[in-house]
Amino acid sequence: MSELLLKYFSLYNDTKIKNLRVSTGISEVITDFEGEEAKSEFQRSYLLVALFTLIFLASIVNFFLITDSIAQFYGGIATFMIILSCVVLFLVYQIAVLIYLKNKIALRKKTSKLFKIVHALIETSFPTAVVFYMMYEFDMLSFIDSPVIMTYFLFIILSVLHLDFSVSLLTGLFAAAQYCLLTYYGFHFVDAPPLYQSPAPENSYYVRSVILIFCGIGAAFVSAELRNRIRTAFNSQQDRNRLELLFGQHVSREVSRALIEGTGATKRLEATVMFVDVRNFTAFADVHTAEEVIDYQNKFLGPVIDIINQHQGVVFQILGDGLMACFGSPVENVLHADMAFQASVEILKRIQYDSDNGIIPSTTIGIGLHSGEMVTGNIGNEQRKQFSISGTPVIVASRIEQLNKKYDSQFLISGEVLNRVAPGKMNVSYLGEEPLRGIGKPVEVYKVDFTR
């Protein structure tokens, strides 16, 4: 059944996305997953800005504080400043890309694949331009072995964050093709002096281009695998959220979460059960229309359920004239009795307020509480299951609620509940031991006074 539900929500998600795009008339509106892709793209550019800022600072430190031998070898301070200018230009470009991507994310628009491809081509062209300039301007064939070439590998590695197989592959192909062109140009058109000749034969540099292609292929596969895993995890979380939302419309969020997470296994827990019942509901329903009855039920049950949720309670059953709730199951809570007691007081106050102000017809209710060890878990068969609570405490709480009619009261609790709570200013009076139908021994019953 869970597989069918997941398939249903997957189909629902795709349909909802298509409808969104049709209704907005904007083909660029991003889905939630595409939004994550855009964030990954942004993080990639942010990382490049950080890395090239470090490269810029490290180059300055190397030249001014450590040694100038490297700069002298590559043409002196003028050449060094040209290279630093290229780094600054690259930083300005990446900052512009960051601003562009930030605006895209803010407008919830996705970046096109064409943008990614052009972006990859421009990035790989930066080191190519620097090497070409050095070979053309200074006849320095040896610059084809300079550290600048290593930035090709940096771009290929970070292309994984594009989360796009083709873009990572093209990044490797762009780098390899440009390095091949540099190699051909250097060995056939540059008349370099002995100091700036390359120490390796021409063919060895073409092998490096092949290695760049292999790196691009590897990055492409990693990018595709990472994308698939992120999509799987993202869709799984989305499906889980939707399942939880769907179940939450029928049972409480805690119960739905317990079912989805598999924590709905049968177990025993110390908890407090609450029964709420509307007095004379049948008579009310007999003289009112169906619409009026439903409207009354919604206005009555809505605030009651909210109060129970606010006190960490769980509504297990909604009846026509009341409900059954539990505090301390399926989520354990050592303050379950006190939470149930305080929730009951709030419910009584809210019903009185709504009755006095005409929000609902004048309403009297009965509440019964009992604490004890009970069984929680799934009951039913393969076709229909329900996550519920069972055991003697449930029966006792139900019987105690019914005693409100005998004592003309609204709020009764058992001795087990009283021993676990701090009544505060509420007046609690002992009514005696009541023999309850279906229960082996009498139960101490206490009345909590609530004046209307």
Side-chain angles (χ1 to χ4, degrees):
M1 179 178 178
S2 60
E3 293 179 0
L4 290 174
L5 283 170
L6 290 176
K7 289 180 180 178
Y8 165 77
F9 281 115
S10 178
L11 177 62
Y12 166 79
N13 186 39
D14 293 340
T15 304
K16 184 178 74 172
I17 291 167
K18 292 177 182 177
N19 291 339
L20 173 63
R21 287 178 168 171
V22 171
S23 63
T24 57
I26 301 175
S27 60
E28 280 191 320
V29 172
I30 61 174
T31 64
D32 291 335
F33 178 73
E34 289 169 343
E36 294 302 315
E37 285 187 290
K39 292 177 184 178
S40 178
E41 193 82 26
F42 180 86
Q43 291 170 349
R44 178 185 178 279
S45 291
Y46 189 86
L47 183 58
L48 278 171
V49 169
L51 289 174
F52 272 82
T53 300
L54 291 175
I55 291 173
F56 177 79
L57 295 175
S59 299
I60 293 178
V61 170
N62 181 70
F63 180 74
F64 289 105
L65 300 182
I66 301 177
T67 176
D68 62 353
S69 59
I70 296 177
Q72 292 302 323
F73 178 80
Y74 286 117
I77 189 170
T79 304
F80 179 76
M81 295 306 296
I82 290 172
I83 296 174
L84 283 185
S85 299
C86 289
V87 174
V88 172
L89 181 62
F90 182 82
L91 282 171
V92 172
Y93 168 74
Q94 286 295 342
I95 291 173
V97 171
L98 274 177
I99 296 173
Y100 170 79
L101 292 174
K102 185 176 181 180
N103 290 333
K104 281 283 187 180
I105 294 172
L107 296 174
R108 292 191 59 77
K109 293 184 178 181
K110 64 179 179 179
T111 55
S112 65
K113 179 169 288 191
L114 178 61
F115 167 80
K116 295 179 182 179
I117 293 174
V118 172
H119 182 43
L121 178 60
I122 292 174
E123 285 182 342
T124 53
S125 297
F126 268 95
T128 303
V130 173
V131 174
F132 176 78
Y133 175 80
M134 297 304 296
M135 290 194 297
Y136 175 81
E137 187 70 21
F138 300 104
D139 288 328
M140 296 171 60
L141 179 58
S142 59
F143 211 77
I144 203 170
D145 288 308
S146 72
V148 175
I149 299 301
M150 300 301 294
T151 54
Y152 284 136
F153 293 97
L154 177 62
F155 294 138
I156 292 172
I157 292 171
L158 292 182
S159 70
V160 170
L161 291 177
H162 285 299
L163 299 179
D164 192 306
F165 179 91
S166 58
V167 175
S168 292
L169 180 60
L170 285 173
T171 302
L173 292 176
F174 288 153
Q178 292 181 51
Y179 193 68
C180 278
L181 291 174
L182 287 174
T183 300
Y184 183 82
Y185 174 81
F187 279 92
H188 294 273
F189 295 96
V190 174
D191 186 18
L195 178 64
Y196 296 116
Q197 287 289 346
S198 173
E202 181 179 357
N203 288 342
S204 67
Y205 293 93
Y206 293 119
V207 173
R208 294 183 186 181
S209 296
V210 174
I211 294 175
L212 287 172
I213 294 175
F214 287 157
C215 290
I217 294 173
F221 276 101
V222 172
S223 179
E225 180 66 19
L226 183 61
R227 177 189 175 88
N228 289 336
R229 294 194 179 192
I230 292 176
R231 181 183 286 279
T232 299
F234 185 82
N235 288 342
S236 177
Q237 183 61 43
Q238 291 291 90
D239 290 336
R240 174 176 166 175
N241 290 342
R242 292 188 184 94
L243 281 169
E244 189 172 303
L245 179 61
L246 176 67
F247 285 138
Q249 295 172 350
H250 301 278
V251 296
S252 73
R253 184 63 61 90
E254 290 79 6
V255 172
S256 63
R257 187 177 295 116
L259 288 169
I260 295 169
E261 292 178 351
T263 57
T266 301
K267 56 184 176 182
R268 292 183 177 274
L269 289 173
E270 283 282 340
T272 297
V273 184
M274 169 196 289
F275 274 86
V276 179
D277 182 71
V278 179
R279 296 290 176 258
N280 301 318
F281 176 78
T282 303
F284 174 86
D286 287 341
V287 296
H288 289 80
T289 65
E291 291 77 12
E292 290 173 333
V293 172
I294 293 297
D295 181 66
Y296 169 68
Q297 288 176 310
N298 289 333
K299 289 181 178 179
F300 166 76
L301 290 171
V304 172
I305 293 172
D306 287 340
I307 292 170
I308 291 172
N309 289 336
Q310 291 166 10
H311 289 79
Q312 302 178 31
V314 174
V315 177
F316 278 89
Q317 289 184 6
I318 296 178
L319 310 172
D321 56 353
L323 56 80
M324 178 186 76
C326 185
F327 298 76
S329 175
V331 181
E332 294 187 54
N333 184 352
V334 295
L335 299 176
H336 55 85
D338 196 60
M339 289 290 188
F341 187 88
Q342 298 301 327
S344 299
V345 174
E346 288 296 323
I347 290 172
L348 290 167
K349 289 181 180 178
R350 179 57 185 266
I351 298 304
Q352 178 178 323
Y353 175 86
D354 289 351
S355 296
D356 293 343
N357 289 276
I359 299 174
I360 59 175
S362 181
T363 300
T364 302
I365 65 172
I367 298 178
L369 299 183
H370 181 62
S371 299
E373 186 180 72
M374 61 198 72
V375 177
T376 179
N378 287 315
I379 58 175
N381 56 28
E382 293 300 323
Q383 284 72 40
R384 177 70 170 90
K385 285 188 177 181
Q386 177 176 320
F387 191 74
S388 186
I389 53 175
S390 58
T392 301
V394 179
I395 300 172
V396 172
S398 176
R399 301 284 191 267
I400 290 176
E401 188 282 316
Q402 294 171 11
L403 289 174
N404 280 295
K405 298 175 183 178
K406 175 182 177 180
Y407 290 104
D408 191 25
S409 59
Q410 293 190 80
F411 187 14
L412 298 179
I413 63 175
S414 67
E416 284 77 4
V417 173
L418 182 62
N419 293 334
R420 292 176 169 87
V421 303
K425 295 182 180 180
M426 300 298 295
N427 183 26
V428 179
S429 56
Y430 177 62
L431 298 179
E433 292 188 344
E434 281 285 343
L436 302 179
R437 178 168 51 87
I439 306 301
K441 61 180 181 179
V443 176
E444 291 183 350
V445 178
Y446 293 83
K447 177 183 176 182
V448 182
D449 287 332
F450 185 82
T451 304
R452 287 183 59 85

